[in-house]
Amino acid sequence: MNTLLDRLESVAKRYEELNQILMDPNIASDVAKMTAATKEQGSLEKAYSLYKEYKELLEGIDESKELLNDSDPEIREMAKAELSELEEKRPIMEHDIQIELIPKDPRDDKNILVDIYGSAGGDEANIFAGDLFRMYSKYAESQGWTVEVQDAMPGAAGGYAKITFMVKGQNVYSKLKYESGTHRVQRVPKTESQGRLQTSTARVVVMPEADPRIDFVPDQKDLRIDTYRSSGAGGQHINKTDSAVRITHIPTGIVATSQDGRSQHDNRDKAMQSLITRVNAYYNELKEKEEGAERKSKVGTGDRAEKIRTYNYPQNRVTDHRIGLSIQQLDRIMDGKLDPIIEALINEDQKRKLEEGAKQ
Protein backbone atom coordinates (compact mmCIF):
# COMPACT_ATOMS: atom_id res chain seq x y z
CA MET A 1 0.00 0.00 0.00
CA ASN A 2 1.36 3.43 -0.94
CA THR A 3 2.44 5.71 1.85
CA LEU A 4 1.00 9.20 2.07
CA LEU A 5 4.29 10.61 0.81
CA ASP A 6 4.24 8.30 -2.25
CA ARG A 7 0.73 9.43 -3.10
CA LEU A 8 1.61 13.10 -2.56
CA GLU A 9 4.72 12.76 -4.75
CA SER A 10 2.53 11.43 -7.56
CA VAL A 11 0.25 14.50 -7.17
CA ALA A 12 3.28 16.83 -7.09
CA LYS A 13 4.69 15.24 -10.25
CA ARG A 14 1.40 15.82 -12.10
CA TYR A 15 1.13 19.40 -10.75
CA GLU A 16 4.62 20.20 -12.06
CA GLU A 17 3.84 18.57 -15.43
CA LEU A 18 0.79 20.84 -15.73
CA ASN A 19 2.99 23.80 -14.84
CA GLN A 20 5.22 22.99 -17.80
CA ILE A 21 2.20 22.61 -20.09
CA LEU A 22 0.83 26.01 -19.02
CA MET A 23 4.23 27.67 -19.50
CA ASP A 24 4.39 26.50 -23.12
CA PRO A 25 3.74 29.63 -25.27
CA ASN A 26 1.89 27.51 -27.86
CA ILE A 27 -0.90 26.58 -25.42
CA ALA A 28 -2.57 29.98 -25.86
CA SER A 29 -3.77 28.84 -29.29
CA ASP A 30 -5.56 25.80 -27.77
CA VAL A 31 -8.17 27.30 -25.42
CA ALA A 32 -9.76 23.93 -24.54
CA LYS A 33 -6.40 22.41 -23.56
CA MET A 34 -5.41 25.50 -21.56
CA THR A 35 -8.76 25.56 -19.73
CA ALA A 36 -8.55 21.84 -18.90
CA ALA A 37 -4.94 22.13 -17.65
CA THR A 38 -5.72 25.23 -15.55
CA LYS A 39 -8.74 23.51 -14.01
CA GLU A 40 -6.82 20.31 -13.23
CA GLN A 41 -3.92 22.23 -11.70
CA GLY A 42 -6.36 24.23 -9.57
CA SER A 43 -7.86 20.98 -8.25
CA LEU A 44 -4.35 19.81 -7.19
CA GLU A 45 -3.28 23.13 -5.64
CA LYS A 46 -4.14 22.26 -2.04
CA ALA A 47 -2.61 18.76 -2.21
CA TYR A 48 0.58 20.23 -3.74
CA SER A 49 0.81 22.80 -0.95
CA LEU A 50 0.29 20.03 1.65
CA TYR A 51 3.01 17.97 -0.08
CA LYS A 52 5.57 20.76 0.42
CA GLU A 53 4.51 21.31 4.07
CA TYR A 54 4.55 17.57 4.86
CA LYS A 55 7.98 17.10 3.28
CA GLU A 56 9.33 19.98 5.40
CA LEU A 57 7.76 18.45 8.52
CA LEU A 58 9.32 15.01 7.86
CA GLU A 59 12.72 16.60 7.19
CA GLY A 60 12.37 18.58 10.44
CA ILE A 61 11.62 15.36 12.36
CA ASP A 62 14.70 13.64 10.87
CA GLU A 63 16.94 16.62 11.69
CA SER A 64 15.63 16.81 15.27
CA LYS A 65 16.25 13.07 15.78
CA GLU A 66 19.85 13.49 14.58
CA LEU A 67 20.40 16.40 16.97
CA LEU A 68 19.26 14.24 19.91
CA ASN A 69 22.73 12.65 19.71
CA ASP A 70 24.59 15.97 19.76
CA SER A 71 27.33 16.37 22.39
CA ASP A 72 25.87 19.73 23.52
CA PRO A 73 23.11 19.16 26.16
CA GLU A 74 21.41 22.47 25.24
CA ILE A 75 21.11 21.44 21.59
CA ARG A 76 19.78 18.02 22.69
CA GLU A 77 17.15 19.74 24.85
CA MET A 78 16.15 22.10 22.03
CA ALA A 79 15.94 19.16 19.57
CA LYS A 80 13.76 17.21 22.02
CA ALA A 81 11.29 20.13 22.34
CA GLU A 82 11.20 20.65 18.56
CA LEU A 83 10.71 16.93 17.90
CA SER A 84 7.82 16.84 20.36
CA GLU A 85 6.16 19.81 18.61
CA LEU A 86 6.61 18.32 15.12
CA GLU A 87 5.35 14.87 16.19
CA GLU A 88 2.25 16.59 17.58
CA LYS A 89 1.62 18.31 14.24
CA ARG A 90 2.19 15.14 12.20
CA PRO A 91 -1.13 13.26 12.79
CA ILE A 92 -3.14 16.49 12.24
CA MET A 93 -1.40 17.12 8.92
CA GLU A 94 -1.72 13.46 7.89
CA HIS A 95 -5.46 13.60 8.53
CA ASP A 96 -5.74 16.75 6.38
CA ILE A 97 -3.79 14.99 3.62
CA GLN A 98 -5.98 11.88 3.78
CA ILE A 99 -9.07 14.08 3.42
CA GLU A 100 -7.51 15.93 0.47
CA LEU A 101 -6.56 12.65 -1.23
CA ILE A 102 -10.08 11.18 -1.04
CA PRO A 103 -11.07 10.69 -4.71
CA LYS A 104 -13.14 13.69 -5.74
CA ASP A 105 -16.66 13.27 -7.08
CA PRO A 106 -16.16 14.47 -10.68
CA ARG A 107 -19.59 16.11 -10.48
CA ASP A 108 -18.75 18.31 -7.47
CA ASP A 109 -18.08 21.44 -9.51
CA LYS A 110 -21.30 21.11 -11.52
CA ASN A 111 -24.31 23.43 -11.50
CA ILE A 112 -27.52 21.72 -10.40
CA LEU A 113 -31.13 21.32 -11.46
CA VAL A 114 -33.54 21.14 -8.52
CA ASP A 115 -37.17 20.03 -8.27
CA ILE A 116 -39.18 20.75 -5.12
CA TYR A 117 -42.64 19.16 -4.83
CA GLY A 118 -45.32 19.79 -2.24
CA SER A 119 -45.98 16.21 -1.11
CA ALA A 120 -48.13 14.95 1.79
CA GLY A 121 -50.22 17.61 3.56
CA GLY A 122 -52.14 19.49 0.86
CA ASP A 123 -51.87 23.29 0.99
CA GLU A 124 -49.43 23.20 3.89
CA ALA A 125 -47.06 20.92 1.94
CA ASN A 126 -47.06 23.42 -0.96
CA ILE A 127 -46.41 26.33 1.41
CA PHE A 128 -43.48 24.36 2.89
CA ALA A 129 -42.13 23.69 -0.64
CA GLY A 130 -42.13 27.48 -1.10
CA ASP A 131 -40.27 27.89 2.21
CA LEU A 132 -37.61 25.42 1.08
CA PHE A 133 -37.21 27.24 -2.24
CA ARG A 134 -36.67 30.51 -0.34
CA MET A 135 -34.17 28.77 1.98
CA TYR A 136 -32.09 27.47 -0.94
CA SER A 137 -32.32 30.82 -2.75
CA LYS A 138 -31.00 32.67 0.31
CA TYR A 139 -28.21 30.12 0.74
CA ALA A 140 -27.29 30.43 -2.95
CA GLU A 141 -27.16 34.22 -2.56
CA SER A 142 -24.78 33.88 0.41
CA GLN A 143 -22.48 31.69 -1.74
CA GLY A 144 -22.48 34.10 -4.69
CA TRP A 145 -24.48 31.65 -6.83
CA THR A 146 -27.40 32.47 -9.15
CA VAL A 147 -30.86 30.88 -9.15
CA GLU A 148 -32.91 30.63 -12.34
CA VAL A 149 -36.52 29.41 -12.11
CA GLN A 150 -37.43 27.26 -15.11
CA ASP A 151 -40.94 26.16 -14.29
CA ALA A 152 -43.35 26.69 -11.41
CA MET A 153 -46.80 25.47 -10.46
CA PRO A 154 -48.02 27.76 -7.64
CA GLY A 155 -50.07 26.26 -4.82
CA ALA A 156 -53.64 27.52 -4.29
CA ALA A 157 -52.83 28.80 -0.76
CA GLY A 158 -49.23 29.86 -1.52
CA GLY A 159 -45.93 28.14 -2.12
CA TYR A 160 -45.61 25.63 -4.93
CA ALA A 161 -47.10 22.29 -5.90
CA LYS A 162 -43.85 22.02 -7.88
CA ILE A 163 -40.97 24.35 -8.72
CA THR A 164 -37.95 23.65 -10.93
CA PHE A 165 -34.85 25.85 -10.85
CA MET A 166 -31.16 25.87 -11.77
CA VAL A 167 -28.46 26.89 -9.29
CA LYS A 168 -25.26 28.08 -11.01
CA GLY A 169 -21.91 28.88 -9.48
CA GLN A 170 -18.72 27.38 -8.08
CA ASN A 171 -18.89 23.85 -6.59
CA VAL A 172 -22.68 23.96 -6.26
CA TYR A 173 -23.23 20.19 -6.42
CA SER A 174 -20.52 19.52 -3.81
CA LYS A 175 -22.56 21.41 -1.22
CA LEU A 176 -26.17 20.72 -2.20
CA LYS A 177 -25.94 17.07 -3.32
CA TYR A 178 -27.07 15.88 0.12
CA GLU A 179 -30.43 17.70 -0.13
CA SER A 180 -32.27 15.07 -2.21
CA GLY A 181 -35.01 13.30 -0.27
CA THR A 182 -38.16 13.97 1.74
CA HIS A 183 -38.16 16.99 4.06
CA ARG A 184 -40.76 16.97 6.86
CA VAL A 185 -42.22 20.01 8.61
CA GLN A 186 -44.04 20.05 11.95
CA ARG A 187 -45.94 23.26 12.72
CA VAL A 188 -49.37 24.79 13.22
CA PRO A 189 -50.54 25.87 9.75
CA LYS A 190 -51.89 29.40 9.30
CA THR A 191 -54.97 27.76 7.81
CA GLU A 192 -55.57 25.73 11.01
CA SER A 193 -58.15 27.50 13.17
CA GLN A 194 -57.89 25.02 16.08
CA GLY A 195 -54.14 25.57 16.51
CA ARG A 196 -53.31 21.89 15.99
CA LEU A 197 -49.82 20.73 15.05
CA GLN A 198 -49.62 19.26 11.55
CA THR A 199 -46.92 17.22 9.83
CA SER A 200 -46.44 17.83 6.09
CA THR A 201 -43.73 16.90 3.62
CA ALA A 202 -42.02 18.24 0.53
CA ARG A 203 -39.72 16.26 -1.76
CA VAL A 204 -36.44 17.67 -3.08
CA VAL A 205 -34.55 16.23 -6.06
CA VAL A 206 -31.04 17.55 -6.81
CA MET A 207 -29.43 16.62 -10.15
CA PRO A 208 -25.94 17.64 -11.38
CA GLU A 209 -26.21 19.50 -14.67
CA ALA A 210 -25.29 17.24 -17.58
CA ASP A 211 -22.72 18.31 -20.16
CA PRO A 212 -23.97 17.52 -23.70
CA ARG A 213 -20.32 17.33 -24.88
CA ILE A 214 -19.53 14.29 -22.70
CA ASP A 215 -22.81 12.96 -21.23
CA PHE A 216 -25.55 10.93 -22.90
CA VAL A 217 -27.71 12.97 -25.29
CA PRO A 218 -31.07 11.43 -26.30
CA ASP A 219 -31.66 10.78 -29.98
CA GLN A 220 -34.03 13.30 -31.62
CA LYS A 221 -36.31 10.47 -32.79
CA ASP A 222 -36.88 9.56 -29.10
CA LEU A 223 -38.17 13.05 -28.24
CA ARG A 224 -41.62 14.60 -28.43
CA ILE A 225 -41.64 18.40 -28.29
CA ASP A 226 -44.84 20.30 -27.46
CA THR A 227 -45.47 24.01 -27.07
CA TYR A 228 -48.20 25.53 -24.93
CA ARG A 229 -49.30 28.81 -23.44
CA SER A 230 -47.26 29.78 -20.44
CA SER A 231 -49.04 30.36 -17.12
CA GLY A 232 -46.01 32.04 -15.56
CA ALA A 233 -45.36 35.69 -14.83
CA GLY A 234 -42.53 36.16 -17.29
CA GLY A 235 -44.04 39.15 -19.08
CA GLN A 236 -47.27 40.03 -20.90
CA HIS A 237 -46.14 38.61 -24.25
CA ILE A 238 -46.10 35.05 -22.95
CA ASN A 239 -49.86 35.04 -22.46
CA LYS A 240 -50.39 35.74 -26.16
CA THR A 241 -48.11 33.06 -27.64
CA ASP A 242 -47.39 29.38 -27.10
CA SER A 243 -43.94 30.14 -25.71
CA ALA A 244 -43.71 27.40 -23.05
CA VAL A 245 -42.00 24.16 -24.13
CA ARG A 246 -42.45 20.56 -22.94
CA ILE A 247 -40.03 17.84 -24.11
CA THR A 248 -40.74 14.16 -23.44
CA HIS A 249 -38.11 11.43 -23.67
CA ILE A 250 -40.30 8.61 -24.98
CA PRO A 251 -38.18 5.57 -23.89
CA THR A 252 -38.15 6.63 -20.20
CA GLY A 253 -41.24 8.86 -20.07
CA ILE A 254 -39.10 11.63 -18.52
CA VAL A 255 -40.54 15.11 -19.11
CA ALA A 256 -38.82 18.51 -18.95
CA THR A 257 -40.59 21.84 -19.24
CA SER A 258 -39.62 25.49 -19.32
CA GLN A 259 -41.93 28.49 -19.36
CA ASP A 260 -39.97 31.28 -17.66
CA GLY A 261 -37.59 31.98 -20.56
CA ARG A 262 -37.77 35.15 -22.65
CA SER A 263 -38.92 33.35 -25.81
CA GLN A 264 -39.98 29.96 -27.13
CA HIS A 265 -36.43 29.45 -28.40
CA ASP A 266 -35.02 30.22 -24.93
CA ASN A 267 -37.54 27.87 -23.31
CA ARG A 268 -36.70 25.12 -25.79
CA ASP A 269 -32.96 25.41 -24.98
CA LYS A 270 -33.64 25.34 -21.23
CA ALA A 271 -36.08 22.43 -21.48
CA MET A 272 -33.58 20.45 -23.60
CA GLN A 273 -30.76 21.04 -21.10
CA SER A 274 -33.13 20.05 -18.29
CA LEU A 275 -34.14 16.88 -20.15
CA ILE A 276 -30.52 15.83 -20.79
CA THR A 277 -29.78 16.39 -17.07
CA ARG A 278 -32.85 14.36 -15.99
CA VAL A 279 -32.18 11.46 -18.36
CA ASN A 280 -28.53 11.25 -17.26
CA ALA A 281 -29.57 11.40 -13.58
CA TYR A 282 -32.06 8.56 -14.22
CA TYR A 283 -29.47 6.31 -15.89
CA ASN A 284 -26.85 7.13 -13.23
CA GLU A 285 -29.31 6.14 -10.48
CA LEU A 286 -29.96 2.82 -12.22
CA LYS A 287 -26.22 2.23 -12.48
CA GLU A 288 -25.70 3.05 -8.78
CA LYS A 289 -28.47 0.66 -7.76
CA GLU A 290 -26.80 -2.10 -9.78
CA GLU A 291 -23.48 -1.33 -8.09
CA GLY A 292 -25.30 -1.36 -4.71
CA ALA A 293 -22.19 -1.83 -2.58
CA GLU A 294 -21.03 1.74 -3.25
CA ARG A 295 -24.04 3.03 -1.33
CA LYS A 296 -22.91 1.47 1.95
CA SER A 297 -20.41 4.22 2.68
CA LYS A 298 -22.71 7.05 1.62
CA VAL A 299 -24.52 9.49 3.90
CA GLY A 300 -28.11 8.25 3.61
CA THR A 301 -29.37 5.82 0.99
CA GLY A 302 -29.54 8.45 -1.76
CA ASP A 303 -33.13 7.37 -2.39
CA ARG A 304 -35.39 10.26 -3.38
CA ALA A 305 -38.12 9.01 -1.05
CA GLU A 306 -35.81 8.79 2.00
CA LYS A 307 -36.95 10.99 4.93
CA ILE A 308 -33.81 13.00 5.50
CA ARG A 309 -34.74 15.96 7.68
CA THR A 310 -37.42 17.30 10.05
CA TYR A 311 -38.12 21.00 10.63
CA ASN A 312 -39.89 21.37 13.99
CA TYR A 313 -41.22 24.93 14.34
CA PRO A 314 -42.58 24.81 17.95
CA GLN A 315 -39.12 23.70 19.17
CA ASN A 316 -37.13 25.83 16.65
CA ARG A 317 -35.25 22.62 15.82
CA VAL A 318 -33.92 21.04 12.63
CA THR A 319 -32.91 17.36 12.72
CA ASP A 320 -30.99 15.57 9.98
CA HIS A 321 -31.86 11.90 10.49
CA ARG A 322 -28.99 10.49 8.38
CA ILE A 323 -26.29 11.73 10.77
CA GLY A 324 -28.34 12.24 13.95
CA LEU A 325 -27.70 16.01 13.98
CA SER A 326 -30.12 18.36 15.75
CA ILE A 327 -29.73 22.15 15.69
CA GLN A 328 -31.87 24.57 17.70
CA GLN A 329 -31.65 27.25 15.00
CA LEU A 330 -34.55 26.55 12.67
CA ASP A 331 -35.20 30.27 12.11
CA ARG A 332 -31.59 30.79 10.92
CA ILE A 333 -31.64 27.63 8.78
CA MET A 334 -34.86 28.70 7.03
CA ASP A 335 -33.21 32.06 6.37
CA GLY A 336 -30.58 30.27 4.27
CA LYS A 337 -27.86 29.84 6.90
CA LEU A 338 -27.32 26.18 5.98
CA ASP A 339 -23.57 25.95 6.61
CA PRO A 340 -23.75 24.06 9.96
CA ILE A 341 -25.82 21.27 8.36
CA ILE A 342 -23.91 21.14 5.07
CA GLU A 343 -20.50 21.11 6.80
CA ALA A 344 -21.64 18.31 9.14
CA LEU A 345 -22.84 16.24 6.16
CA ILE A 346 -19.58 16.79 4.23
CA ASN A 347 -17.51 15.86 7.33
CA GLU A 348 -19.53 12.68 7.90
CA ASP A 349 -19.22 11.75 4.21
CA GLN A 350 -15.44 12.23 4.35
CA LYS A 351 -15.21 10.21 7.57
CA ARG A 352 -17.09 7.28 6.02
CA LYS A 353 -14.96 7.38 2.87
CA LEU A 354 -11.78 7.33 4.99
CA GLU A 355 -13.10 4.34 6.96
CA GLU A 356 -14.04 2.59 3.72
CA GLY A 357 -10.58 3.31 2.27
CA ALA A 358 -8.90 1.92 5.42
CA LYS A 359 -10.74 -1.41 4.99
CA GLN A 360 -9.56 -1.83 1.39
Side-chain angles (χ1 to χ4, degrees), residues 58-84 86:
L58 293 180
E59 285 166 4
I61 287 173
D62 288 342
E63 285 169 16
S64 296
K65 282 179 177 175
E66 277 181 34
L67 290 171
L68 288 176
N69 300 315
D70 197 275
S71 57
D72 187 329
E74 277 188 27
I75 288 178
R76 289 202 304 272
E77 197 58 41
M78 184 181 71
K80 187 180 174 184
E82 191 157 321
L83 182 63
S84 171
L86 292 172

Side-chain angles (χ1 to χ4, degrees), residues 105-162:
D105 184 334
R107 302 168 296 180
D108 273 354
D109 64 348
K110 300 258 186 193
N111 298 325
I112 59 171
L113 181 70
V114 186
D115 290 330
I116 304 179
Y117 304 84
S119 198
D123 287 342
E124 178 60 14
N126 294 343
I127 291 167
F128 180 49
D131 293 339
L132 290 177
F133 171 64
R134 179 181 178 274
M135 177 183 82
Y136 292 129
S137 298
K138 297 281 275 184
Y139 179 68
E141 188 184 332
S142 75
Q143 299 294 305
W145 302 337
T146 58
V147 173
E148 295 175 9
V149 174
Q150 284 195 352
D151 197 21
M153 192 185 299
Y160 300 97
K162 180 190 174 188

